Amino acid sequence: MNMIPAVQEIMGQGIRFVQILFFPLFGFIILIGFFFYLFASKNPYRRRKAYLFSIFGAFGALLTLYLPLIISYFSSKNKPHEATGEESVRGLVDLTIPWGEQVYNLLKVLFEPFIFFGGYLGIAIWLLAAKNPPRKRIGFGMVIGAPLLWTLLQYIPDIYYFFIPANPQ
């Protein structure tokens, strides 16, 4: 497409807005689907709802991310530049370090109380579920999952930098 640069900029901002808005929404739908699956027990209608939420949430998230790219690739006369071999993932990561650390610290401060509250809520659910096996499983999963999620939250930057080499060859 041969558009005016201002229109391209507006469309790019619109696509970014849609991605920023809908990708977390579909991620939340996936999370709701997993919770539906935990509460479904043997009810086939609830299981179906959980599967539909999980599958269509993932499909919607991928569509939100990649559909604008695919459309612009096939409809544009100008193809993307060829890689020269000088590009690296490390270079892209270094561009985002200041914002990435601030966002990580913000998410860490926001989610740590929820993780601890979830652990204590899991203990309460586990102890109060008299003879209800699905509730006991949910409580046990929350009790075991809270420390694992907290540990993962503490070491996410180290895990991330483990997979991105410091000196790409």
Side-chain angles (χ1 to χ4, degrees), residues 11-159:
M11 288 183 67
Q13 292 296 330
I15 289 170
R16 284 188 202 105
F17 177 71
V18 167
Q19 288 177 339
I20 288 171
L21 182 69
F22 283 109
F23 184 72
L25 177 72
F26 283 121
F28 188 66
I29 288 172
I30 293 169
L31 198 63
I32 289 173
F34 287 140
F35 282 126
F36 278 163
Y37 186 70
L38 284 175
F39 287 106
S41 65
K42 293 183 179 179
N43 188 338
Y45 298 111
R46 288 185 183 172
R47 280 199 176 181
R48 181 172 183 248
K49 184 171 34 173
Y51 289 140
L52 289 176
F53 267 67
S54 300
I55 290 171
F56 286 118
F59 186 69
L62 288 174
L63 215 70
T64 302
L65 288 179
Y66 292 111
L67 189 63
L69 177 70
I70 293 169
I71 290 172
S72 67
Y73 180 78
F74 285 114
S75 66
S76 177
K77 294 178 184 174
N78 301 329
K79 297 300 176 194
H81 298 291
E82 292 293 325
T84 61
E86 299 297 321
E87 301 87 3
S88 67
V89 175
R90 186 64 160 182
L92 292 174
V93 170
D94 289 342
L95 289 173
T96 61
I97 281 179
W99 289 102
E101 288 178 0
Q102 291 174 4
V103 170
Y104 167 72
N105 289 331
L106 178 69
L107 289 177
K108 188 175 171 184
V109 167
L110 290 176
F111 282 111
E112 275 184 341
F114 287 119
I115 292 171
F116 289 122
F117 178 73
Y120 289 125
L121 184 66
I123 291 171
I125 290 172
W126 190 15
L127 293 176
L128 294 175
K131 292 186 178 180
N132 192 348
R135 287 190 72 194
K136 282 187 178 184
R137 282 194 299 268
I138 291 168
F140 183 70
M142 289 174 73
V143 167
I144 297 298
L148 293 175
L149 191 60
W150 184 79
T151 305
L152 183 67
L153 183 67
Q154 299 302 315
Y155 292 108
I156 280 177
D158 297 332
I159 294 169

